Structures are given as structure tokens and as C-alpha cells.
Amino acid sequence: MEFTGLPANFVVVSGPVDNAAAVILLDDNRIPRRVIAFNPQFMSEATQAVGGSKWGPISVMAHEIAHHLSGHTIVPGGSRPDIELEADKFSGFVLQKMGAPLNDATRMILTVGSAHGSPTHPDKQSRAEAIRQGWEESCQQNGGAKCDTGRAAAGPPAKPEPIAGTRTVARAPALPAPGSVPFKYGHFVNDETGKLDPARVKAMEARLFSLAKNVGVELSFLVVDDLKGLSAQDYAWAMMRQLRVGKLDVGNGAVVVVAPRQRQAAVAFGPGLAKEAEFSDPQAQLLQWVDAAWKYCDDADGCGGWTDNLFNIFNLTLSNASNTQWTIQYPSLGNLLRHYEKINAQRLTAKRPFNPATDQPLGNLIRISGKITDLSPPTGMGQVNSRLIGGTLGYTAVSLKTQDGYNVILYVSPRLAGLMPGGALRKGTTYTAVGRLQRAGDKDRQASALWLFSYDPL
């Protein structure tokens, strides 16, 4: 993970799996955690099969890590050939960064993989081809020599694996060409123009890495030459989905897109991070930066100090995000309300003053389960707050009845449905949902309210 520039936000365990698997498991508090499970016997036997090479087991683990990093474990359907090839490509990409020659990066799959494809996994030659593409892309990014020959910069020439009973090897369908999609792994700032100041970019990379490692929030900057025919807004949201920025359940990611030569800019905020930026107008500020800075950037000297002016647009958002709780603390609304009722009773008994750090339920992240009862609930006391509907963030509201008997108003951001595997919310459907408490209600008169960050039909 040190070679990707991203934090290792998963747990590795041995377990009763056939070989290795990336899975989401519930902990004792029923909070989902990323887990990579491996079979020790398989790993030992597979390592022996590749002559004891350390790159064999590393390639297996890199493949499983890619399933988590690419969001494969949070979409329904299980293994499919296309997502297996994505994970294989990442394996080749990161092994090249670690110094593995191409033949070592592909040896494990060519040794233990299946010669025939299945509904869940491609054949081993297709998978080796995906690994090769990732390896070569990494080599080219690193400025290596002879990246298309299978020879690492300091390694011996790669030798083709013999294939019993065949004379030719069919090449797998090509994955996206290098550079056609911004590549998240390894950096949070992607500057296609080459005009941002490298030292200032490095400092921002360190800040963003620390934020991701310590808080879980991910923000990526894409300064692009070409929007591929899209608007900056659509490009940003496409990259949010493509790169799986942030954690889907709490929506704590954002993608900043600046296309200075086309005078376009936009930000795709996950719904959780959007709350931290709601009092700013980053799109207008980005366009102001393009108008003021780009004439100075687009020369031989580059942006220089204007690089900081670009990054500083998000100082307040990043500061707010770093001081916000992004861990789901309560598995139900009733659990949260009972906790704070107990705290309030203790405070009144002890006659101590109110302490917002310990006594305030608002702002907590919670997970609830329940049925959608109304897609257009009424406004008024204890119901929808009309001042929160529409506005710059474009919220709508729905009502839900939790499985433990509480009425809840969910405030829904307009782009949320496009990020959710389950599509738009449907009346009468039961969901598990994650949100931040906006208002604490009761079981009788006033509904509680959440800023909705994610949901999944049960």
C-alpha cells in the first residue's frame, strides 16, 4: 500500500476461503469493515509452485486489495470477468512499482490459473494480459526504458511462459489505453497540463494522504487538457464513480476537475463531504482561478505560486472534514437516542453544565433500517423543514419508518441516486441507510431527520 500512496484501510486475516478473497464483514457493532481473507495452505502451495518467488503471493494480495480499492466489494453480483481483469491490471501496476519484472508479475496466474474462462473469471492468458497492461502503464509513468518488452529497468528480460498444446496466444480485449482515464493509485493530484508547481503539488499530496490515512476523507484534483466531450460537472461525477473516491457508505470523497484551456471547472462532492462545503462556492472560485492564473501558468515557468491559490480554495472544506467524525457509531436510531437520553439524565442528576462535545447527539453518523413511507412528505413542525429543500445543494426529502419504530425524514442530495447500486429510492421498499443526524425527534410527535449519505435495499 505504501507504493499506491493510499492508506491500508482494511484488515488481513487467515480464514476458511479457497485461496484469497476480499469481503465486507460486520464487526461486533454490526458496522461493515473491509477484510482480506487468505488460506495459508493455498498461499504456501502456490509459493512453492512458482519456485518460492516472493512475487507470487504478493501478486495474489495485490489482486484482492484492488477489489477493495476499486469498489468491487460494494456492488452486487460478486465476481465477474471484467472486474477480475481490473484487479489483475492493478496487480501488475503495483508490482512494477515494487520492482517486479513482468514475468514474475504474471507467473502466479499462469501457474495456478485456469486455462478456460468461466462466468466469474477469465482464462489465465487474458488475466496475464491485463497484468501486463498494468505493468507497462506503471513502467511508462515511471519513465522506465523498454516498457513494452517485459523488461524492468533493473531486471532481466522477461521470457514468455510456455503454453502446452498451443502455438499462439490470443490477446485479451484491450483495457482503457494508458492516460485515457485518470489513475487514482499513487497520487491525489493529477496534472495533465504539467503546469502546476511540483514542490507545491508534493506538499498537497502529503496533506491529502494524511487526511485519507487519519480521517478517511479522499479528495482528488484533476487538472485536465481534455474533458472528452463532457461538461466539467459530468466529467467530475464520472470520475467520482470511476475512481471510487471516498467511502461510498459515508460519502466522504470529492473530485475537483479544472480544464483551464476550455475554461471549465467543477467539483463532485460525495454527500457527506458536501455538507462540509455547503457554505462555499468552489466552482465559481475555480473559474476565477482560471481567469486570473492561467495566463501566467501557460508558459515555460508554469504556475509557480498560483498552484497554492488553486489548492487554497479547499482549505476550509479540508479543515472541516478533518475535524468531523466519519465513523458510524450507532447501529440504529433508537440506540443513539437512548444513549443521549441516558447522558442527559446523568447530567441533570450531577447538575453539570451542557457539554456539546459529549452531550450533543446532532452530527453523529448512524445506520438505520426501515421502509420508505412517502416520497413527498409534508412540511411543518416535526416534519420536513422547507428551508432545507432546494437551495444550492438541491435537496429533496423522503420519510422513512425505522424497524425500531421511529419516524425519520431523510434529506437526499440530487446526485446521490447515481452513486447508489440500488438506484433511486422507492416507496414501500425497505432500506438500510447511513446518514448524519440533523434533528433528534421522538416516537410520538416529531420525526428525527438525517442528511442521507448512502442506502441499500434490503
Side-chain angles (χ1 to χ4, degrees):
M1 290 302 295
E2 291 177 359
F3 288 87
T4 71
L6 296 172
N9 55 357
F10 50 81
V11 178
V12 179
V13 299
S14 62
V17 294
D18 291 337
N19 38 64
V23 294
I24 303 290
L25 296 178
L26 299 181
D27 65 14
D28 293 340
N29 295 319
R30 297 193 58 76
I31 295 174
R33 303 295 186 193
R34 288 174 168 180
V35 174
I36 293 176
F38 69 93
N39 183 318
Q41 183 176 350
F42 164 81
M43 295 296 268
S44 175
E45 294 173 352
T47 301
Q48 293 176 18
V50 294
S53 169
K54 66 177 182 179
W55 298 115
I58 291 174
S59 69
V60 174
M61 297 304 286
H63 175 95
E64 300 305 333
I65 288 169
H67 282 311
H68 281 314
L69 296 184
S70 299
H72 299 157
T73 50
I74 58 176
V75 296
S79 294
R80 302 190 311 272
D82 58 334
I83 67 175
E84 295 303 323
L85 289 176
E86 281 189 21
D88 288 327
K89 183 181 178 184
F90 172 80
S91 174
F93 184 91
V94 77
L95 260 69
Q96 193 282 334
K97 285 186 175 296
M98 297 175 70
L102 177 57
N103 57 333
D104 282 336
T106 57
R107 182 173 295 153
M108 178 65 89
I109 193 60
L110 290 171
T111 301
V112 304
S114 172
H116 304 286
S118 73
T120 60
H121 289 75
D123 64 274
K124 64 182 181 181
Q125 295 300 332
S126 298
R127 299 186 65 179
E129 171 66 9
I131 293 171
R132 181 195 66 78
Q133 289 187 36
W135 190 96
E136 289 185 359
E137 181 175 319
S138 176
C139 179
Q140 291 161 4
Q141 287 186 9
N142 292 339
K146 299 182 180 180
C147 293
D148 59 350
T149 66
R151 186 174 70 181
K159 297 179 180 179
E161 294 285 343
I163 305 164
T166 64
R167 289 176 294 176
T168 60
V169 179
R171 293 176 70 86
L175 296 172
S180 64
V181 175
F183 208 83
K184 171 183 171 183
Y185 309 120
H187 49 91
F188 290 92
V189 180
N190 187 314
D191 176 23
E192 292 179 3
T193 70
K195 298 298 183 180
L196 299 185
D197 181 74
R200 291 173 167 88
V201 167
K202 184 177 180 180
M204 189 60 175
E205 289 271 13
R207 180 181 181 186
L208 294 175
F209 175 80
S210 176
L211 187 69
K213 179 180 180 181
N214 299 326
V215 183
V217 171
E218 293 182 0
L219 187 145
S220 294
F221 285 88
L222 309 180
V223 183
V224 301
D225 282 320
D226 182 10
L227 289 170
K228 317 295 184 186
L230 301 175
S231 68
Q233 190 72 44
D234 288 341
Y235 191 94
W237 281 100
M239 290 302 100
M240 171 74 90
R241 293 187 292 269
Q242 177 76 25
L243 303 180
R244 281 89 173 188
V245 178
K247 295 180 181 177
L248 185 67
D249 55 352
V250 296
N252 60 348
V255 175
V256 179
V257 170
V258 185
R261 295 190 171 101
Q262 297 167 274
R263 199 187 175 274
Q264 289 198 52
V267 187
F269 280 115
L273 203 53
K275 288 301 299 172
E276 308 304 321
E278 64 179 322
F279 298 115
S280 63
D281 190 354
Q283 183 166 354
Q285 292 175 279
L286 289 171
L287 291 176
Q288 290 170 4
W289 180 86
V290 171
D291 290 341
W294 191 246
K295 58 188 175 184
Y296 301 105
C297 290
D298 201 15
D299 59 20
D301 296 331
C303 290
W306 286 102
T307 303
D308 283 337
N309 293 97
L310 171 63
F311 295 149
N312 289 345
I313 293 171
F314 297 89
N315 273 347
L316 179 59
T317 298
L318 294 178
S319 177
N320 289 343
S322 66
N323 292 300
T324 300
Q325 174 61 251
W326 295 102
T327 301
I328 302 169
Q329 300 286 346
Y330 300 95
S332 73
L333 179 58
N335 183 279
L336 178 144
L337 294 177
R338 288 190 296 271
H339 173 78
Y340 282 97
E341 287 171 1
K342 181 179 178 181
I343 286 180
N344 189 53
Q346 292 172 345
R347 181 177 67 86
L348 294 177
T349 299
K351 297 181 180 181
R352 66 172 176 81
F354 180 83
N355 181 354
T358 59
D359 305 342
Q360 174 63 270
L362 303 185
N364 275 288
L365 273 175
I366 62 173
R367 187 182 304 277
I368 63 175
S369 297
K371 181 180 292 186
I372 299 294
T373 57
D374 197 337
L375 297 177
S376 300
T379 60
M381 182 66 68
Q383 296 298 317
V384 177
N385 184 339
S386 59
R387 292 179 296 177
L388 302 180
I389 302 301
T392 57
L393 295 182
Y395 279 100
T396 57
V398 303
S399 59
L400 175 144
K401 184 85 167 187
T402 69
Q403 292 178 337
D404 52 352
Y406 292 89
N407 292 309
V408 180
I409 300 297
L410 302 176
Y411 292 105
V412 187
S413 61
R415 291 275 188 167
L416 182 57
L419 296 174
M420 296 295 104
L425 291 165
R426 301 182 298 275
K427 183 178 180 179
T429 300
T430 299
Y431 294 89
T432 181
V434 173
R436 198 176 294 286
L437 189 67
Q438 188 270 337
R439 181 182 70 221
D442 52 53
K443 277 195 174 182
D444 300 321
R445 294 173 290 107
Q446 180 167 299
S448 296
L450 299 180
W451 301 109
L452 183 62
F453 292 169
S454 67
Y455 56 84
D456 197 35
L458 290 176

